[in-house]
Amino acid sequence: MATEKNVERSNKTTGEKWKQAVLVIHGMGEQVPMDTLRGFVDTTWVTDEGLVPRTRPDPNSGQQRVENPVWSKPDRRNRSFELRRITTEQAKNGVRTDFYEFYWAHLMHGTTWEHFKAWFADLLWRSPKRVPQDVFSAWIALWAVTVVVAVVLLASTLPLGDLRQCFAGECDDTACNTSSLCWSWIWPVVGAVLSVVAGAFINVYLLKYFGDVARYVKATPLNVARRQEIREKGVELLETLMGVRDFDPSKHKKGAPYPKWDTEYDRIIVVSHSLGTVIAYDILKESFARINRYLNRGGQARKKQPHRHELEKMLQYAIDTSGTLDVKRYRDLQNLAWQELKSDGSPWLVSDFITLGSPLTHAEFLLAHDEEDLRDQQEGRILPTCPPALEWDSRTKQQHFTYKHGSNSANGEYFRLPHHAAHFAFTRWTNIYSKSSNILWGDIISGPLAGHFDLATPVARLQGILDIPVLPERDQEDKSKGRIPFFTHTKYWDMRVRTGPGDNWAVPYHIHKLREAINLLDK
């Protein structure tokens, strides 16, 4: 078995400095540039006492430090004067961190009811069998609200008094009484008030928040341009951070070594929230598909990839024995395989993908028609899974997420290229979510992802995503260890949120898990 001790962690020479980038992708709604990033940096760097020795003086004042300072600097990579790069001092492991925000809200402009209604109608007019069990109560509530609003609006436009008389056999009775006069103006007033409230709700809440979801996840002609622009800008930023944005593969001589990539970073961590997790998923997918072949193949007949090989053997063994994955061991091997990929010249620097409050838990109706369609797209590598999809190699007589190139040995340990949807063999995926209760408590938008983006085979379901329930913490039997706060969707990096008397540590459980997932001290 490979261990972290027998892999070369870095190609740097003595004295060279490590540097990493954290790319934060915000969620739905009319976000203000830098708001998400500043709050996130405060939680994950400024207030984290474990990153910098407390004995080190504050670099601004020279006095005893109260918190870890950061500096806001111009950011040419994002190509926006609204955005800044937030940079840090060296942590105790010698690594500096640059925080970036991929801001996309301004690209989702002009959302109208026309954009929203098709998606909303699809949510309502679907078979109950196509509604995931964890949101079935919300689906029923949505129907109930829709029916009530429709009935009241209809009632406000009909002559209910006359209809009641007709049903009572008194259609010719034109007598006017106090009751009929009262109801003749009550219903129109109620309808008018409800119309104003419904209009405000649609304009302020549905269109500005869920309108983003409707436009991004539904590939209709009205939405394609917005989806393309958001993904294109995201891929451009990620490739800029990796140093490959200006590389033209058409001008690269076949078989020649790839250049030293023009980047100052050794590692990139992608953190996303809410709808931003769907966008981040797409950005990673498109970026890796563009660069998965950027590997130096020189001497491939002798070159080996022991960590990639061991990772594939782990998957093959689990399938052969109809078993499950040891997620911790899988993640350790992912990191080793990522280091190995970089040593082969790959510019892929994304070591970790972290999702917070992700609607990808509802992927069967957000990204697909139903569960069967979702699985078909995953098997076809349209929607990458963790672990990645495998293919049969007749020469090795095994399944791989890589394929052979050239005439090297049929031994699977030798040099192979990853297929275009194999990035979760090298990038660890951590999903932090909050379970919901009674729709509004907890986070009904989020949920576990391991069972939705696993490697599904006829004999085994291999899950490589680390799902972490928070707000509140849950025990091994999935029982809550505290109260569920009201609407936790926006509270994953909020230090002030507590979940009961037992949640009295200096650092709340959900913040501890977030810091642990990002692991800024890792290399």
Side-chain angles (χ1 to χ4, degrees), residues 360-482:
L360 285 170
T361 190
H362 313 302
E364 61 265 43
F365 71 85
L366 279 180
L367 306 183
H369 177 72
D370 52 23
E371 177 69 21
E372 183 179 357
D373 182 41
L374 177 67
R375 289 300 175 184
D376 286 344
Q377 292 193 56
Q378 291 173 340
E379 185 177 342
R381 305 180 203 168
I382 299 170
L383 298 176
T385 57
C386 181
L390 303 177
E391 60 184 36
W392 176 259
D393 188 319
S394 60
R395 287 171 288 187
T396 64
K397 308 300 181 184
Q398 295 287 348
Q399 289 180 296
H400 303 266
F401 53 76
T402 54
Y403 59 94
K404 293 177 66 64
H405 182 84
S407 57
N408 56 321
S409 170
N411 186 331
E413 187 175 2
Y414 285 82
F415 184 91
R416 299 175 67 93
L417 290 166
H419 67 62
H420 71 271
H423 48 289
F424 290 123
F426 313 101
T427 299
R428 297 171 293 198
W429 187 346
T430 306
N431 176 56
I432 299 177
Y433 70 98
S434 175
K435 281 204 167 184
S436 66
S437 176
N438 299 320
I439 300 177
L440 295 180
W441 278 259
D443 184 8
I444 198 169
I445 295 172
S446 75
L449 299 182
H452 299 283
F453 290 88
D454 55 349
L455 173 58
T457 73
V459 296
R461 298 282 294 270
L462 307 184
Q463 299 181 356
I465 300 174
L466 177 61
D467 283 319
I468 303 176
V470 298
L471 295 168
E473 178 184 0
R474 307 186 80 87
D475 61 22
Q476 293 184 344
E477 297 179 353
D478 201 32
K479 293 181 179 179
S480 173
K481 297 179 71 173

Side-chain angles (χ1 to χ4, degrees), residues 151-364:
V151 167
V152 173
L153 291 178
L154 182 63
S156 69
T157 62
L158 294 176
L160 295 182
D162 292 343
L163 289 175
R164 282 200 306 272
Q165 287 182 336
C166 286
F167 284 130
E170 302 173 355
C171 289
D172 295 329
D173 185 359
T174 59
C176 182
N177 55 49
T178 304
S179 176
S180 63
L181 284 174
C182 180
W183 284 104
S184 68
W185 64 264
I186 283 180
W187 279 114
V189 169
V190 170
V193 171
L194 191 59
S195 297
V196 171
V197 172
F201 177 74
I202 290 171
N203 184 59
V204 174
Y205 189 71
L206 290 185
L207 294 186
K208 291 183 179 179
Y209 288 87
F210 286 94
D212 288 350
V213 180
R215 293 193 71 185
Y216 187 82
V217 302
K218 199 166 183 64
T220 62
L222 289 173
N223 301 333
V224 167
R226 296 278 69 78
R227 287 158 51 98
Q228 172 64 22
E229 189 173 8
I230 291 171
R231 293 172 181 176
E232 192 171 38
K233 295 296 184 183
V235 169
E236 179 183 90
L237 175 56
L238 186 58
E239 291 187 349
T240 299
L241 296 177
M242 292 190 295
V244 298
R245 179 179 178 271
D246 296 324
F247 176 71
D248 185 354
S250 66
K251 297 179 180 179
H252 181 70
K253 184 179 179 181
K254 186 176 181 180
Y258 285 98
K260 179 176 174 60
W261 305 111
D262 185 20
T263 179
E264 58 185 299
Y265 298 111
D266 304 281
R267 176 192 183 207
I268 297 174
I269 307 161
V270 176
V271 184
S272 54
H273 173 242
S274 187
L275 178 59
T277 65
V278 185
I279 294 172
Y281 175 82
D282 286 341
I283 290 171
L284 294 179
K285 173 182 66 175
E286 301 301 336
S287 294
F288 189 79
R290 289 157 62 103
I291 68 170
N292 67 305
R293 294 173 58 88
Y294 292 5
L295 290 176
N296 290 322
R297 308 166 191 170
Q300 59 182 293
R302 298 178 302 278
K303 183 181 290 186
K304 294 184 178 182
Q305 298 169 324
H307 304 302
R308 184 271 309 158
H309 180 53
E310 187 169 351
L311 187 60
E312 288 184 326
K313 286 199 302 180
M314 180 185 189
L315 300 179
Q316 294 157 2
Y317 178 79
I319 293 172
D320 291 342
T321 59
S322 301
T324 58
L325 281 185
D326 178 342
V327 176
K328 183 181 183 307
R329 179 60 186 157
Y330 177 71
R331 288 166 64 87
D332 288 343
L333 281 174
Q334 279 179 298
N335 191 249
L336 296 177
W338 170 68
Q339 295 281 348
E340 186 175 75
L341 192 73
K342 290 198 301 176
S343 71
D344 283 339
S346 173
W348 187 251
L349 300 181
V350 184
S351 66
D352 290 272
F353 176 41
I354 298 162
T355 49
L356 308 170
S358 178
L360 285 170
T361 190
H362 313 302
E364 61 265 43

